[in-house]
């Protein structure tokens, strides 16, 4: 897997950004937004189509993000439409854009200065702009009403990875001119755009080049020429040659708006995040929690570290961690903007090279420059000490945008928000013992009580395998204990420290030290021996500083993590056996990464349930699917 390089740009005398390697401008000297309005919005029938659009969302694909001008203008126009038509069905805009060479944040900031009429949108985009990591970065704006899926990498490599569910309503066929960037304008591009189209899809492009017209025709589009923008004589419009049919129903309001109520079994981080993402899409949610309150299992910790686990080489798992990390940061900020109050500190995280293995891995990562410097940087022991505010003896890596969050505090705040929503209800002390498939859905058994669910999501964490339908899944219950300590010498600690375990800055004067990893434990009992293990591990890894001798354990929490053999979560539609005609939704196996994984997994699952565009590639769907652990059927003789 290749790393992503920033675009090399300069600015011409008119102040227009120019791609140095392609010798082409990012937008017209005659006015970038005027060109956007004319070529892409007007000739895709926008905003006129939005009030008449029967689905809950409208999806646009763009083939060159550049400075984001097309997205920003479309965002502003969609906001104006929503203000004028607040009761219209279509209230969410999905904008999927591809960029092989993204601008650096500094260059993008300068390039957007000319769009004074889009100042508010520009500032929000710059605040959310991701590090140059390949794959899909989902960015949420306007409390989720504007969704930007920014795919970084070669569009001809990425488009085939978009799930078939990501059907598109309008296409902005943009990018540098075919004569300047022929590598983009390949048959694959046109074929994939046709694959993702439905019978009402429209396409507009600034160019009238013969190879573009032929490529669209060969892919199955009906093409016509119209007057171009400014000095350009002509441009192209296209529609797919697809007849309306029942098979195309996934793109219609019937599929996009048919949101059956869903029952969620669970009461922790995964279940609550899923409930939140679902009600945002108009889905009625009923929560069944086995405990007397939320967050009494693995989500009960006072503090947890929020950071991606970066591998020495760029890998699918490493990219998933990065995408989940970027989305989680937005998600928690969005929750705070909605009025939820919970402890969170974006204080950075030091991962110290306290073992030879960690030192070798980090050195390899540095030599290969696997990850961008605005995501992670390498520090020596002196720099680590300055960052942490306490004396340290090891070099390591520093992730400046990482930090810590209170899982229990967040879950309680999120539940309080959900409890006020008309689409949400909850039932506590309801332990589901068994689930049986029936014709119209699922029968739930709790002692002598039975209940019914037409749509069912199971998010019970480490207890998943105890349910009959999931007994074959290799979900392990791993007991862990976190120790809570007081220390005057540690009050100056400014950042999270990771080694083999972790140490957090103080919350209300108390630090968290964790965590044990016990595969044999059968009960979530707090053990004095585990507190001793946590402190000994900290002293051994950090080489017995004087401040380590002054730690006073005042309390602890123990719970079970749900882990899988490949350390990746389970998310999506699960078929319990080969003969099953029905499926069941599952969200589990988050291990010690619930804070990192839960927000993006919940977003993914909610989109799967509501037939909205997915924020991951097909390969990632397979990587996360619970069905990956089902044994292949034996061939019949």
């Amino acid at each position: 897997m290749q790393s992503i390089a920033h675009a090399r740009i300069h600015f011409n005398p008119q102040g227009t950004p120019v791609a140095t390697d392609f010798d082409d401008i990012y937008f017209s000297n005659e006015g970038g937004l005027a060109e956007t309005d004319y070529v892409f919005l007007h000739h895709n029938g926008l905003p006129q189509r939005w009030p008449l659009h029967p689905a809950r969302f409208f999806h646009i694909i763009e083939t060159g993000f550049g400075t984001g001008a097309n997205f920003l203008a479309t965002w502003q126009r969609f906001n104006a439409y929503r203000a004028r038509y607040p009761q219209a069905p279509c209230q969410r805009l999905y904008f999927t854009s591809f960029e092989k060479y993204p601008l650096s944040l500094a260059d993008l900031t300068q390039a957007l200065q000319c769009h004074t009429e889009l100042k508010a949108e520009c500032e929000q985009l710059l605040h959310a702009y991701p590090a140059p990591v390949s794959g899909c970065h989902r960015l949420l704006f306007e409390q989720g009403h504007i969704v930007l899926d920014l795919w970084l990498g070669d569009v001809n490599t990425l488009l085939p990875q978009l799930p078939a569910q990501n059907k598109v309503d309008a296409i902005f066929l943009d990018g540098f001119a075919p004569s300047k960037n022929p590598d983009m304008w390949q048959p694959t591009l046109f074929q994939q755009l046709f694959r993702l189209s439905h019978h009402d899809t429209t396409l507009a492009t600034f160019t009238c080049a013969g190879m573009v017209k032929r490529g669209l025709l060969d892919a199955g589009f009906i093409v016509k020429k119209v007057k171009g923008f400014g000095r350009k004589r002509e441009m192209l419009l296209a529609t797919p040659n697809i007849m309306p049919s029942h098979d195309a129903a996934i793109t219609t309001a019937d599929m996009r708006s048919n949101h059956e109520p869903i029952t969620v079994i669970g009461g922790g981080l995964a279940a609550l995040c899923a409930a939140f993402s679902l009600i945002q899409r108009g889905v009625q949610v009923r929560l069944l929690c086995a405990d007397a309150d939320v967050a009494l299992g693995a989500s009960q910790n006072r503090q947890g570290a929020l950071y991606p686990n970066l591998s020495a080489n760029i890998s699918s798992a490493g990219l998933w961690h990065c995408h989940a990390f970027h989305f989680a940061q937005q998600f928690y900020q969005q929750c705070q903007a909605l009025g939820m109050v919970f402890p969170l500190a974006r204080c950075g995280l030091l991962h110290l090279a306290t073992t030879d293995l960690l030192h070798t891995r980090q050195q390899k990562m540095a030599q290969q420059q696997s990850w961008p410097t605005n995501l992670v940087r390498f520090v020596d022991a002196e720099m680590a000490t300055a960052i942490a505010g306490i004396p340290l003896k090891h070099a390591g890596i520093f992730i400046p945008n990482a930090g810590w969050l209170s899982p229990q505090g967040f879950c309680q705040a999120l539940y309080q928000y959900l409890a006020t929503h008309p689409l949400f209800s909850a039932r506590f002390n309801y332990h589901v013992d068994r689930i049986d498939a029936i014709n119209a859905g699922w029968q739930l058994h709790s002692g002598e009580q039975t209940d019914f669910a037409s749509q069912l999501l199971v998010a019970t964490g480490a207890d998943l395998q105890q349910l009959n339908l999931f007994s074959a899944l290799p979900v392990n219950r791993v007991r862990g204990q976190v120790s809570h300590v007081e220390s005057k010498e540690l009050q100056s600690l400014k950042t999270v420290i990771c080694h083999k375990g972790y140490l957090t800055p103080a919350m209300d004067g108390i630090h968290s030290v964790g965590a044990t990893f016990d595969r044999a434990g059968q009960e979530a009992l707090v053990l004095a021996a585990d507190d001793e293990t946590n402190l000994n591990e900290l002293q051994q890894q950090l080489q017995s500083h004087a401040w380590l001798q002054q730690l006073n354990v005042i309390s602890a929490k123990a719970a079970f993590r749900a882990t899988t053999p490949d350390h990746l979560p389970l998310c999506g539609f699960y078929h319990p056996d080969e003969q099953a005609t029905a499926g069941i939704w599952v969200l589990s196996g988050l291990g010690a990464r619930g804070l990192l994984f839960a927000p993006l997994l919940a977003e993914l699952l909610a989109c799967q349930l509501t037939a909205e565009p997915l924020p991951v590639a097909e390969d990632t769907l397979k990587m996360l699917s619970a069905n990956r652990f089902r044994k292949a059927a034996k061939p019949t003789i």
Side-chain angles (χ1 to χ4, degrees), residues 102-437:
L103 272 67
S104 69
L105 181 60
D107 285 340
L108 183 62
T109 301
Q110 183 176 349
L112 293 179
Q113 287 178 355
C114 65
H115 299 314
T116 54
E117 67 272 51
L118 295 173
K119 182 180 179 181
E121 290 84 0
C122 290
E123 289 177 351
Q124 291 180 65
L125 174 62
L126 292 170
H127 178 73
Y129 197 59
V133 173
S134 61
C136 180
H137 301 263
R138 173 156 288 188
L139 281 62
L140 303 179
F141 305 100
E142 309 289 351
Q143 297 183 0
H145 288 287
I146 305 291
V147 182
L148 170 62
D149 280 345
L150 182 54
W151 290 78
L152 300 184
D154 189 327
V155 66
N156 284 302
T157 301
L158 295 172
L159 265 176
Q161 277 292 308
L162 259 67
Q165 180 169 316
N166 291 31
K167 294 291 185 181
V168 61
D169 299 304
I171 298 170
F172 294 4
L173 185 50
D174 202 2
F176 297 125
S179 60
K180 304 280 189 178
N181 185 24
D183 288 348
M184 187 192 97
W185 303 85
Q186 296 296 316
T188 301
L189 175 69
F190 309 117
Q191 292 161 7
Q192 289 299 317
L193 291 176
F194 182 85
R195 175 181 72 88
L196 293 167
S197 298
H198 57 82
H199 66 276
D200 288 329
T201 300
T202 60
L203 179 150
T205 182
F206 66 94
T207 183
C208 198
M211 60 88 65
V212 175
K213 181 179 179 182
R214 290 189 297 272
L216 289 168
L217 288 169
D218 291 344
F221 287 94
I222 301 169
V223 183
K224 69 175 182 178
K225 297 179 181 179
V226 297
K227 171 69 175 68
F229 174 77
R231 299 178 184 179
K232 293 182 180 177
R233 188 173 66 179
E234 294 175 315
M235 57 174 278
L236 297 177
L237 305 181
T239 54
N241 190 9
I242 301 173
M243 294 296 293
S245 69
H246 182 68
D247 293 338
I250 192 172
T251 67
T252 69
D254 287 342
M255 286 296 290
R256 288 181 167 184
S257 302
N258 184 21
H259 297 167
E260 292 184 21
I262 184 163
T263 297
V264 178
I265 303 177
L269 192 65
L272 293 168
C273 286
F276 176 78
S277 294
L278 286 164
I279 66 167
Q280 281 197 311
R281 289 167 171 81
V283 180
Q284 184 177 341
V285 175
R286 178 181 58 153
L287 186 78
L288 299 180
C289 180
D291 299 318
D293 198 357
V294 298
L296 295 184
S299 300
Q300 68 177 316
N301 285 340
R302 296 185 81 253
Q303 291 172 284
L306 176 60
Y307 70 103
N309 187 24
L310 302 177
S311 52
N313 300 308
I314 298 176
S315 64
S316 296
L319 291 173
W320 160 251
H321 272 247
C322 288
H323 298 150
F325 177 59
H326 185 254
F327 186 83
Q329 289 177 293
Q330 297 179 79
F331 177 82
Y332 295 123
Q333 290 172 8
Q334 178 192 25
C335 288
Q336 288 181 321
L338 288 172
M340 300 180 213
V341 179
F342 52 91
L344 178 151
R346 196 173 175 178
C347 58
L349 178 142
L350 280 166
H351 198 163
L352 301 178
T354 57
T355 66
D356 290 341
L357 181 63
L358 277 173
H359 177 76
T360 300
R361 188 177 79 172
Q362 292 182 3
Q363 287 298 309
K364 184 178 179 181
M365 193 188 305
Q367 292 166 5
Q368 296 181 349
Q369 298 181 340
S370 305
W371 305 101
T373 54
N374 58 344
L375 174 65
V376 58
R377 64 178 186 259
F378 299 86
V379 297
D380 58 22
E382 184 178 356
M383 294 171 64
T385 293
I387 290 169
I390 59 174
L392 298 172
K393 295 182 180 180
H394 296 89
I397 58 175
F398 180 58
I399 304 175
N401 290 324
W404 64 265
L405 184 145
S406 170
Q408 189 172 56
F410 171 70
C411 287
Q412 291 169 344
L414 180 54
Y415 174 73
Q416 289 171 7
Y417 174 85
L418 290 170
T420 67
H421 201 286
L423 291 176
F424 179 82
S425 63
R427 186 173 178 181
F428 291 95
N429 296 310
Y430 192 92
H431 186 275
V432 177
D433 305 313
R434 182 177 178 83
I435 303 172
D436 292 325

Side-chain angles (χ1 to χ4, degrees), residues 329-583:
Q329 289 177 293
Q330 297 179 79
F331 177 82
Y332 295 123
Q333 290 172 8
Q334 178 192 25
C335 288
Q336 288 181 321
L338 288 172
M340 300 180 213
V341 179
F342 52 91
L344 178 151
R346 196 173 175 178
C347 58
L349 178 142
L350 280 166
H351 198 163
L352 301 178
T354 57
T355 66
D356 290 341
L357 181 63
L358 277 173
H359 177 76
T360 300
R361 188 177 79 172
Q362 292 182 3
Q363 287 298 309
K364 184 178 179 181
M365 193 188 305
Q367 292 166 5
Q368 296 181 349
Q369 298 181 340
S370 305
W371 305 101
T373 54
N374 58 344
L375 174 65
V376 58
R377 64 178 186 259
F378 299 86
V379 297
D380 58 22
E382 184 178 356
M383 294 171 64
T385 293
I387 290 169
I390 59 174
L392 298 172
K393 295 182 180 180
H394 296 89
I397 58 175
F398 180 58
I399 304 175
N401 290 324
W404 64 265
L405 184 145
S406 170
Q408 189 172 56
F410 171 70
C411 287
Q412 291 169 344
L414 180 54
Y415 174 73
Q416 289 171 7
Y417 174 85
L418 290 170
T420 67
H421 201 286
L423 291 176
F424 179 82
S425 63
R427 186 173 178 181
F428 291 95
N429 296 310
Y430 192 92
H431 186 275
V432 177
D433 305 313
R434 182 177 178 83
I435 303 172
D436 292 325
I438 57 177
N439 291 336
W442 303 95
Q443 191 171 53
L444 313 178
H445 301 269
S446 177
E448 297 182 356
Q449 302 180 70
T450 60
D451 208 331
F452 171 79
S454 58
Q455 287 265 44
L456 186 61
L457 164 63
V458 180
T460 54
D463 293 333
L464 181 73
Q465 205 179 37
Q466 296 178 8
L467 283 168
N468 54 304
L469 295 182
F470 302 99
S471 58
L473 285 176
V475 177
N476 302 309
R477 285 166 53 88
V478 179
R479 182 187 166 279
Q481 182 167 312
V482 179
S483 304
H484 307 143
V485 303
E486 287 182 326
S487 170
K488 291 181 180 180
E489 288 74 12
L490 270 184
Q491 292 304 305
S492 59
L493 177 62
K494 297 183 294 187
T495 189
V496 179
I497 294 176
C498 283
H499 43 91
K500 189 175 178 182
Y502 68 89
L503 169 67
T504 67
M507 181 180 93
D508 298 329
I510 299 172
H511 303 265
S512 293
V513 179
T516 58
F517 198 87
D518 179 10
R519 290 184 178 275
Q522 298 298 312
E523 294 184 86
L525 299 176
V526 171
L527 304 176
D530 279 15
D531 290 331
E532 185 176 347
T533 297
N534 282 332
L535 296 190
N536 287 341
E537 188 71 59
L538 186 65
Q539 291 174 357
Q540 179 181 347
Q541 293 287 315
L542 301 188
Q543 297 183 355
S544 298
H545 287 290
W547 55 264
L548 285 170
Q549 310 302 320
Q550 307 298 322
L551 302 182
N552 177 35
V553 177
I554 61 169
S555 64
K557 288 284 182 70
F560 288 98
R561 312 177 186 95
T563 67
T564 62
D566 57 10
H567 307 294
L568 288 168
L570 311 172
C571 180
F573 205 51
Y574 175 61
H575 294 276
D577 57 67
E578 295 170 12
Q579 288 74 37
T581 57

